[in-house]
């Protein structure tokens, strides 16, 4: 450890271990100094002179419920004539005695009220938190037509309450592990005690507790700290904002990772199939759900391969194209100055620009994107002989298909992989395209998420609910996913 | 380690630098639709004619149509397909590709000469040329055929060939003859190969030959494109020996188990009023051929053909629909007519050609254990010409189209 770091840690330890003094004045002076009383406009330090003694309250006026404070703390203290312990005077559900300054600081930071009494070397932490957060709203990024509509919000208690409502069971555990130092914040693991695999749980806990960083404020940052291959194109944690989706996963034996200030949560361990499944696949009836899966599967193949195949076939294998199409392409390309590969890349990049701009643009300007995108890049580019019409069709098709992906993370994977394939196809045509696909597939199969193979249960093959490519009729599903080795495999 | 990385890096560079060696942009190629091959005065030098499609014609509905012609025809001298291609490229700016060749046309004069086998031998070794291109024999010079062929309704030349060959094949007046079949049959050295016969020179004959008893060029058509596809050229051992009329071609295809025909339109004599004819759409099931091979003496070939007719027109207004007695006559008469024509065809091949164009050697091969035995038995010279061919033609059903009864001429003329 570096000397300056050592000094810092020692100072912090010393501060934390300081005992609460019997002398109220000492305590008040120390806390007011620590919390820059007077400078911090919302930090309140109030003395209450009641009949039973002299009390002092510390709290942030912005984080506590002031109505409860005056009704259940200030009023009883002022009225109580007998000298009895504080925890018997105040009428709040959540009060705990504390003895050192470390706990005082922690309580204040969490938004509690701290009560000191003259002559007692002990304080009380009263939990009256009232942090502001968004109400529960409709899911924005993972929409379904059929199924629950609510989504997580940026408050952990609200989110857990939504989960408890869905899984009312004593086996649903919400365990806290703290991460970071400035300040340490809790990460909550949600799992079913009688299902989740111990080894996986241990693995996740180890990875979280081995993080050495000053702070992690939300789940999106945490994801990048605990994943196995941060540079990989493939996400190994499922990011979802739907409580119903999370409860489905948790009741299969998966583990959910949540944090305050995140309107989503992470599911681990995960396989590639989960990214392609939508919660609606289970809510829809069997035939409809499988039809929707089929369409999505088609969309993935289109988005990955249609542009690459076009490049390969037109450049190297023109005999594969029916002659009418061939002549149509040749005639439309006669006045186009760019080689096919650059033509396709140009349009693909233009599409990515529209997409990126569409995400960032302030919503009042949104419609502009449509006009610019459709007119300028589509029609005008063709009329100006910059690109040929068929390329516009192909790029639009592959762009549109990429948004059929059920999950936002895998959407990026597909879109970036598409460029790899296009470039590969331009080297040796289908030969190099197939080579690239082979390497790509070999890489994907080699990935694992918290010890679970990325392609299971397809390979290695394990017992599962057979919900990989298409799903079965729900009544016939028997097994929980065997690849995460839950404590109880049998659903029935 | 560092060396390994360097080697990998260089390998990558090699990959990138050599990457584009085989790449051809689509618009930089000239697509040949049909190739014509003609005999010249000199031996083993041929005149190759390439018909190149103009992609700009008829490709886009919204674009202003260009004034350029739909095709360009270039003809050069050469010894084989590839060398002719490169010679032709001296006048065509784009790289000539044979990927999309649909039709290879040989003149009758070349087909009948001994040089034919030499020029066609270079086809399979021409990588670009696909062997499913159709072989067509033209009555006149192939170059003239290509230059005179002016389809009026199809703006693109390949469309004309595609529709024309597909349609004619369905009606059975020309055979399906991809180049690969020529090689199969010629190298098998047991059967005759037949290829479509076409002409752009009109020399109408006076006789009226029903609807298909013609050879190419003989049909009296006014207006339209001068090209006619009808009949076939017969090849024996890689050399053309004769031509068949459209009708003969149809009966030949009827007996062949490898070539499907779909809907043949044919006319038959009306059995009750011989001055009238009955026209019908005939559907013929795949023929069943069984050969009873006898080592000494005459082998017996049994051929079963089932036909289904859909009669369209009975100009004589005889009532075949409601009268079962007349219908029986009709069945018997059509069977007989078909039997006679087919027998004629078989007799012609046995006596005149001494070999058959029906690809029947496929059915005798299984009688022999080794290829040597088969070759020794000599299907084309010994077995077939002396065999007894029994034809069993069976009209399974006759339908009468949309009409339920004939109009009563007597009443109408009343």
């Amino acid at each position: 450890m570096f000397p300056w770091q050592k000094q810092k840690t020692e100072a912090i330890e010393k501060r934390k271990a300081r005992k609460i003094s019997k002398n109220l004045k000492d305590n008040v002076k120390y806390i007011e100094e620590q919390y820059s009383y007077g400078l911090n406009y919302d930090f309140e330090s109030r003395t209450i002179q009641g009949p039973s003694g002299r009390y002092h309250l510390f709290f942030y006026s912005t984080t506590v419920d002031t109505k409860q404070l005056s009704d259940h703390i200030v009023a009883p203290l002022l009225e109580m004539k007998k000298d009895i312990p504080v925890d018997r005077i105040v009428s709040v559900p959540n009060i705990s005695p504390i003895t050192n300054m470390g706990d005082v600081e922690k309580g204040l930071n969490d938004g509690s009220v701290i009560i000191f009494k003259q002559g007692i070397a002990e304080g009380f932490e009263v939990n009256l938190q009232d942090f502001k957060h968004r109400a529960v709203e409709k899911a924005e990024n993972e929409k379904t037509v059929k199924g629950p509509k609510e989504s997580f919000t940026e408050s952990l208690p609200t989110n857990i309450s939504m989960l408890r409502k869905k899984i009312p069971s004593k086996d649903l555990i919400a365990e806290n592990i703290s991460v970071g130092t400035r300040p340490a914040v809790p990460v909550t693991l949600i799992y079913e005690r009688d299902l989740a695999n111990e080894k996986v749980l241990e693995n996740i806990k180890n990875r979280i507790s081995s993080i050495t960083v000053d702070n992690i404020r939300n789940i999106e940052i945490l994801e990048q700290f605990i994943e196995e291959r941060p540079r990989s194109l493939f996400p190994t944690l499922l990011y979802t904002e739907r409580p119903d989706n999370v409860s489905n996963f948790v009741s299969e034996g998966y583990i959910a990772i949540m944090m305050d200030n995140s309107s989503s949560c992470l599911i681990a361990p995960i396989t590639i199939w989960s990214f392609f499944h939508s919660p609606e696949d289970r809510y829809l009836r069997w035939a409809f759900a499988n039809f929707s899966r089929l369409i999505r599967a088609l969309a993935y193949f289109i988005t990955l391969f249609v542009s690459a195949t076009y490049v390969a076939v037109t450049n190297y294998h023109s005999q594969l194209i029916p002659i009418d199409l061939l002549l149509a392409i040749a005639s439309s390309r006669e006045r186009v100055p760019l080689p096919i590969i650059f033509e396709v890349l140009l349009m693909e990049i233009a599409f990515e620009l529209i997409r990126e701009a569409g995400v960032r643009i302030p919503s009042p300007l949104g419609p502009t994107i449509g006009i610019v995108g459709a007119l300028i890049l589509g029609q005008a580019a063709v009329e100006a002989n910059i690109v040929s019409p068929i390329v516009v069709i192909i790029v639009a098709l592959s762009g549109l298909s990429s948004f059929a992906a059920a999950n936002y993370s895998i959407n990026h994977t597909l879109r970036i992989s598409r460029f790899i394939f296009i470039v590969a196809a331009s080297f040796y045509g289908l030969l190099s395209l197939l080579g690239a696909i082979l390497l790509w597939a070999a890489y994907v199969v080699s990935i694992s998420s918290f010890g679970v193979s990325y392609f299971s249960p397809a390979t290695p093959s394990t017992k599962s609910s057979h919900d990989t490519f298409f799903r079965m009729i729900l009544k016939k599903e028997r097994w929980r996913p065997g690849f995460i080795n839950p404590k109880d495999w049998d659903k029935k | 380690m560092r060396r390994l990385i360097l080697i990998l890096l260089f390998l990558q560079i090699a990959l990138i630098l050599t990457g584009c060696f085989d790449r051809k942009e689509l618009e930089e190629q000239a697509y040949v639709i049909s190739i014509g091959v003609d005999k010249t005065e000199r031996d083993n030098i041929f005149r190759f004619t390439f018909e190149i499609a103009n992609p700009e014609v008829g490709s886009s509905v919204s674009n202003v149509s260009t004034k350029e012609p739909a095709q360009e025809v270039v003809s050069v001298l050469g010894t084989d397909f590839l060398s002719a291609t490169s010679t032709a490229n001296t006048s065509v700016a784009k790289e000539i590709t044979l990927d999309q060749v649909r039709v290879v046309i040989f003149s009758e004069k070349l087909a009948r000469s001994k040089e034919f086998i030499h020029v066609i031998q270079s086809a399979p070794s021409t990588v670009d040329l696909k062997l499913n291109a159709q072989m067509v024999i033209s009555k006149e010079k192939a170059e003239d055929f290509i230059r005179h062929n002016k389809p009026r309704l199809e703006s693109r030349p390949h469309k004309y060939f595609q529709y024309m060959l597909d349609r004619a094949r369905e009606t059975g007046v020309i055979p399906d003859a991809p180049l690969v079949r020529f090689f199969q049959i010629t190298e098998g050295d047991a059967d005759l190969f037949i290829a479509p016969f076409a002409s752009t020179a009109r020399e109408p004959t006076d006789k009226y030959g029903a609807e298909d008893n013609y050879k190419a060029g003989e049909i009296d058509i006014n207006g339209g494109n001068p090209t006619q596809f009808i009949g076939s050229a017969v090849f024996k051992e890689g050399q053309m020996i004769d031509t068949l009329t459209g009708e003969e071609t149809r009966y030949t295809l009827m007996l062949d188990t490898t070539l499907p025909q779909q809907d043949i339109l044919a006319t038959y004599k009306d059995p009750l009023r011989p001055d009238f004819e009955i026209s019908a759409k005939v559907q013929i099931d795949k023929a069943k051929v069984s050969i009873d091979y006898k080592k000494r003496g005459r082998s017996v070939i049994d051929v079963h053909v089932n036909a289904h007719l859909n009669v369209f027109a009975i100009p004589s207004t005889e009532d075949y629909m409601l009268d079962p007695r007349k219908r029986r006559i009709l069945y018997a008469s059509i069977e007989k007519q078909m039997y006679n024509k087919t027998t004629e065809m078989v007799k012609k091949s046995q006596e005149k050609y001494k070999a058959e164009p029906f690809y029947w050697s496929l059915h005798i091969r299984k009688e022999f254990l080794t290829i040597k035995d088969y070759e020794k038995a000599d299907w084309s010279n010994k077995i077939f010409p002396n065999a007894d061919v029994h034809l069993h033609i069976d009209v399974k059903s006759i339908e009468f189209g949309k009409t339920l009864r004939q109009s009563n001429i007597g009443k109408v003329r009343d």
Side-chain angles (χ1 to χ4, degrees), chain B residues 226-275:
Chain B
T227 316
Q228 296 173 5
F229 278 86
I230 191 166
S232 50
V234 184
F235 284 80
K236 190 179 188 183
E237 290 165 354
Q239 194 175 354
M240 182 173 161
I241 51 167
D242 199 10
T243 52
L244 299 177
T245 65
E247 194 180 33
E248 286 168 325
T249 308
R250 230 179 49 210
Y251 286 109
T252 308
L253 297 181
M254 207 170 88
L255 298 178
D256 193 324
T257 54
T258 58
L259 294 175
Q261 33 181 342
Q262 282 149 22
D263 50 343
I264 304 165
L265 283 171
T267 57
Y268 300 97
K269 274 223 158 51
D270 194 325
L272 296 173
R273 302 273 300 274
D275 46 335

Side-chain angles (χ1 to χ4, degrees), chain B residues 95-276:
Chain B
E95 181 181 350
I96 293 179
T97 10
L98 304 182
D99 281 344
Q100 302 284 354
V101 171
R102 291 297 140 108
V103 183
V104 183
I105 300 155
F106 297 95
S107 66
E108 188 180 347
K109 200 174 161 198
L110 173 65
R112 282 186 188 273
S113 75
K114 287 220 180 309
E115 289 163 76
F116 178 69
I117 195 89
H118 297 293
V119 64
I120 202 165
Q121 273 308 324
S122 72
S125 51
T126 309
V127 180
D128 289 353
L129 189 62
K130 282 195 270 183
L131 285 183
N132 60 3
Q134 286 288 325
M135 182 166 158
V136 171
I137 307 301
S138 71
K139 197 174 177 184
E140 64 275 21
K141 278 176 75 179
E143 185 185 352
D144 295 344
F145 179 87
I146 289 173
R147 286 189 194 278
H148 290 162
N149 178 26
K150 289 257 160 17
R152 303 286 161 92
L153 297 180
E154 292 82 12
S155 48
R156 290 174 168 190
H158 70 271
K159 271 276 177 258
Y160 175 76
F161 286 122
Q162 186 183 323
Y163 293 154
M164 191 71 219
L165 290 168
D166 282 355
R167 185 65 206 142
R169 227 160 27 221
E170 279 169 13
T171 55
V173 291
I174 56 169
D176 181 25
L179 288 177
V180 66
R181 191 175 157 92
F182 173 84
F183 291 108
Q184 274 169 2
I185 292 182
T186 308
E187 282 168 22
D189 197 21
D191 308 86
L192 300 178
F193 171 73
I194 53 174
F197 195 58
S199 172
T200 54
R202 281 183 187 159
E203 299 155 359
T205 50
D206 291 338
K207 64 160 182 162
Y208 171 69
E211 74 292 332
D212 54 7
N213 198 4
Y214 289 110
K215 289 174 186 169
E218 292 176 355
I219 307 172
D220 189 3
I221 303 179
N222 291 330
N225 186 7
T227 316
Q228 296 173 5
F229 278 86
I230 191 166
S232 50
V234 184
F235 284 80
K236 190 179 188 183
E237 290 165 354
Q239 194 175 354
M240 182 173 161
I241 51 167
D242 199 10
T243 52
L244 299 177
T245 65
E247 194 180 33
E248 286 168 325
T249 308
R250 230 179 49 210
Y251 286 109
T252 308
L253 297 181
M254 207 170 88
L255 298 178
D256 193 324
T257 54
T258 58
L259 294 175
Q261 33 181 342
Q262 282 149 22
D263 50 343
I264 304 165
L265 283 171
T267 57
Y268 300 97
K269 274 223 158 51
D270 194 325
L272 296 173
R273 302 273 300 274
D275 46 335
F276 281 100

Side-chain angles (χ1 to χ4, degrees), chain A residues 299 301-314 321 325 329 332-333 340-341 343-349 351-352 377-378 382 387-402 418 422, chain B residues 26:
Chain A
F301 281 107
I302 290 177
T303 190
L304 281 176
F305 302 126
V306 76
S307 310
T309 313
Y310 176 75
V311 169
V313 167
T314 49
I321 315 173
L325 182 61
I329 298 173
S332 64
R333 278 199 43 78
I340 286 175
I341 169 72
E343 198 187 345
V344 168
L345 282 178
L346 180 84
M347 284 310 281
E348 289 280 3
I349 288 168
F351 189 88
E352 292 297 308
L377 291 172
V382 170
V387 291
S388 53
I390 190 154
V391 168
V392 177
I393 298 173
I394 280 173
V395 169
L397 196 66
S398 80
L400 187 69
S401 302
S402 73
R418 187 172 68 196
I422 293 173
Chain B
L26 286 184

Side-chain angles (χ1 to χ4, degrees), chain A residues 310-311 313-341 343 426-429 432, chain B residues 14-16 18-27 29 31-33 53-57 59-60 63 66 68 94 97 99-100 102 130 156 158-159 162:
Chain A
Y310 176 75
V311 169
V313 167
T314 49
N315 273 337
Y316 295 94
H317 317 284
S318 60
Q319 63 271 35
L320 285 180
I321 315 173
I323 185 161
D324 282 304
L325 182 61
L326 179 74
L327 292 180
I329 298 173
S331 79
S332 64
R333 278 199 43 78
E334 232 163 37
R335 286 173 292 267
V336 174
L338 301 167
I340 286 175
I341 169 72
E343 198 187 345
S426 71
F427 287 147
Y428 285 100
S432 55
Chain B
L15 198 80
I16 293 165
T18 56
C20 305
F21 81 103
D22 199 19
R23 195 169 63 90
K24 280 185 228 159
E25 293 286 341
L26 286 184
E27 71 277 11
Q29 301 174 49
Y31 299 101
V32 176
I33 300 300
N54 182 0
E56 277 183 57
V57 174
S59 63
S60 169
N63 275 15
T66 57
E68 299 168 16
K94 294 173 177 178
T97 10
D99 281 344
Q100 302 284 354
R102 291 297 140 108
K130 282 195 270 183
R156 290 174 168 190
H158 70 271
K159 271 276 177 258
Q162 186 183 323

